[in-house]
Amino acid sequence: MTEPKVQMPDQPGHRVPNRLERRVAVRYLRSRRVSKLASLTTVIATGGVAVGVMALVVVLGVMNGLRNELRERILIGSPHLRVLTYGAGIRIDAWEDALAVVRADPDVEAAAPQVLTESVISAGADYAEGVMIQGIDPDSGTERGAVVTSLPDALTEGDLTFRPSLDDVDGAVLLGARLAGRLGAYPGDVVTLVSPNPQVSPVTGYPTARYWRFEVTGLFDTGMFQYDNKLVVMPRTIAQEFAGLGTAVSALEVRVADPWHAQAVGDRLVEQLGYPYRALDWQSQNAALFSALQLEKLAMGLIIFFIMIVAGFNIVGTLTMIVSEKTREIGILQAMGVTPRGIGRIFLIQGTIIGLVGVGLGLLGGLLVAAAVDRWRWIRIDPSIYLIDHLPIRIEPFDVTVVVVASLLLAILATVYPSRSAAKLTPVDAIRYE
């Protein structure tokens, strides 16, 4: 009778886990009556990886969401680029020629003159407060292609035609939703603004305040606290007279094709226009804010990554416990012909499975939590502090890829010590182990 040949499960130079090694690795991860503790630690290790991945995905998504949301809200009432001049007056007299140069740039999609000033507003009662005045061309909102900012999209009532229905007013204005709510001024009501350019009294020879009456013809709600709380928009021609600029304007507002290249476009425009012109892009105006967000994203990601390190130690502990409990079986496998490398690959497969399952569950959970929080706006925040009223979440593929790859590498790295410990066991010592 011919004795059956024993197939060697591992050959010299064999590096890919074979079927036997995969089956043994999966079997060691399953629950057995004699290894309940090892099974529990496996679940804990997998859960640690899942929680770490989910936390990283959500936290990075929150930081991305804050950055993008703030950028979009900022660009509602502020252009990508402002062309200004040096000097205390902050005025551009020959703005028509400068506007022609700006519009000729191939990266400029739209440009328009703008008046910027400040004033005090009241709605006829004793209450008054300071506001920001922005004068724009009324026809900039009639054609979508000519719009420099996305303010027309934020209008909740009225339009940008600034057509008053009352005869005894100096013009029409748009108010931010929060400002209108505090003043109790809505479309059809009249508000009073104090001109920053006082008139000289012919009697006393001293400057006296000049009061302008405007009809509220529309409201806008940008979601940006700074705009909705303080901004008043009026026609440019009236704003020029109101601010005492005559025919001059305060700045040229510019929209470029790529907002992230606004600084480069601004530098090129300044070179073409020459002194005393200067350009101020939206990133420079909010550099401190976005730098703080980037630093916070890095710090939060590093802190949450420590959870992954703890999960890695859990994997080390789990596999070390399995090595201790399966010492006799390891000796038997070696006696059957499994090489030390094969034994090491068995535990490498276990760590990889823990990592894959943990990363998969964490990624799925993180994406679901992020989508739910962002869609239903579960987390409300104070807009007077954070400029926005809810916590936005934006998941970026690059961040997800980094989290998944780093987590899998950490899980595999955690199997090095247990795998080497198992590979160093000799068949005789392992079988005699109790």
Side-chain angles (χ1 to χ4, degrees):
M1 184 176 181
T2 305
E3 295 183 358
K5 295 183 179 180
V6 178
Q7 183 180 2
M8 300 299 290
D10 197 16
Q11 301 295 335
H14 179 66
R15 296 179 180 273
V16 180
N18 56 35
R19 183 178 181 184
L20 175 62
E21 293 166 0
R22 293 194 296 268
R23 293 185 61 181
V24 172
V26 174
R27 178 180 177 274
Y28 283 175
L29 290 174
R30 292 177 180 174
S31 176
R32 292 289 185 272
R33 289 181 300 175
V34 296
S35 59
K36 289 291 185 180
L37 182 59
S39 178
L40 177 60
T41 56
T42 299
V43 173
I44 294 175
T46 305
V49 175
V51 171
V53 171
M54 183 171 65
L56 273 172
V57 170
V58 173
V59 167
L60 294 179
V62 168
M63 302 311 300
N64 292 331
L66 284 173
R67 181 199 63 194
N68 294 344
E69 188 74 12
L70 287 175
R71 182 196 69 184
E72 295 301 324
R73 297 296 174 87
I74 287 172
L75 294 179
I76 288 178
S78 179
H80 298 162
L81 189 67
R82 276 195 176 100
V83 177
L84 307 163
T85 57
Y86 292 100
I90 310 181
R91 56 184 291 155
I92 303 177
D93 292 299
W95 60 267
E96 294 92 345
D97 297 335
L99 183 62
V101 174
V102 171
R103 286 177 172 173
D105 190 280
D107 290 327
V108 172
E109 292 187 342
Q114 183 183 50
V115 174
L116 301 172
T117 187
E118 295 185 1
S119 180
V120 176
I121 189 173
S122 68
D126 295 333
Y127 176 76
E129 65 173 279
V131 292
M132 301 181 298
I133 305 295
Q134 187 176 108
I136 63 174
D137 281 336
D139 59 351
S140 65
T142 57
E143 298 181 5
R144 191 67 187 90
V147 177
V148 179
T149 67
S150 55
L151 182 63
D153 298 332
L155 293 177
T156 57
E157 295 186 47
D159 52 35
L160 291 178
T161 56
F162 298 103
R163 295 174 181 171
S165 59
L166 303 176
D167 296 330
D168 57 340
V169 294
D170 297 305
V173 294
L174 304 178
L175 299 182
R178 292 179 179 274
L179 176 62
R182 283 198 313 279
L183 295 174
Y186 298 96
D189 295 333
V190 176
V191 295
T192 301
L193 288 167
V194 181
S195 173
N197 182 39
Q199 60 184 0
V200 179
S201 172
V203 178
T204 64
Y206 291 99
T208 59
R210 181 182 178 188
Y211 297 92
W212 293 58
R213 299 177 73 250
F214 292 94
E215 179 184 348
V216 179
T217 58
L219 304 177
F220 55 86
D221 186 357
T222 65
M224 185 76 169
F225 180 82
Q226 182 178 358
Y227 298 147
D228 299 338
N229 194 54
K230 291 290 184 181
L231 185 60
V232 176
V233 181
M234 63 176 63
R236 173 181 58 84
T237 54
I238 296 180
Q240 286 173 311
E241 184 180 357
F242 179 80
L245 292 175
T247 59
V249 297
S250 303
L252 301 179
E253 54 178 357
V254 183
R255 187 184 72 201
V256 300
D258 188 352
W260 297 106
H261 293 158
Q263 183 177 1
V265 176
D267 294 340
R268 187 167 63 244
L269 290 176
V270 169
E271 184 178 355
Q272 294 176 359
L273 293 170
Y275 184 84
Y277 289 94
R278 60 189 175 95
L280 188 62
D281 63 280
W282 66 275
Q283 291 172 290
S284 299
Q285 296 180 72
N286 304 276
L289 174 62
F290 287 101
S291 297
L293 288 175
Q294 188 65 25
L295 180 60
E296 188 173 355
K297 176 182 177 180
L298 179 62
M300 292 297 295
L302 183 61
I303 292 173
I304 299 299
F305 188 71
F306 288 148
I307 297 178
M308 302 301 304
I309 297 178
V310 173
F313 283 114
N314 286 337
I315 295 175
V316 174
T318 298
L319 297 182
T320 301
M321 183 177 297
I322 293 176
V323 171
S324 177
E325 291 190 355
K326 304 296 183 180
T327 301
R328 290 177 59 85
E329 295 184 18
I330 292 173
I332 295 174
L333 289 173
Q334 289 178 328
M336 294 175 59
V338 178
T339 65
R341 286 187 178 181
I343 298 296
R345 282 194 294 268
I346 290 175
F347 291 93
L348 178 63
I349 295 173
Q350 293 181 65
T352 303
I353 293 175
I354 293 174
L356 287 172
V357 175
V359 169
L361 292 176
L363 180 59
L364 179 62
L367 294 176
L368 290 177
V369 170
V373 172
D374 186 59
R375 180 174 181 179
W376 287 291
R377 301 185 175 184
W378 286 348
I379 303 178
R380 295 286 178 173
I381 56 180
D382 187 355
S384 63
I385 299 176
Y386 299 100
L387 306 180
I388 54 179
D389 57 2
H390 69 283
L391 191 67
I393 299 181
R394 171 70 178 271
I395 303 298
E396 294 187 356
F398 176 78
D399 290 339
V400 173
T401 302
V402 171
V403 170
V404 170
V405 172
S407 302
L408 287 177
L409 290 178
L410 184 61
I412 295 174
L413 184 62
T415 65
V416 173
Y417 173 76
S419 301
R420 289 186 175 182
S421 299
K424 290 180 180 179
L425 293 175
T426 61
V428 175
D429 293 337
I431 293 175
R432 290 177 178 177
Y433 176 81
E434 293 183 0

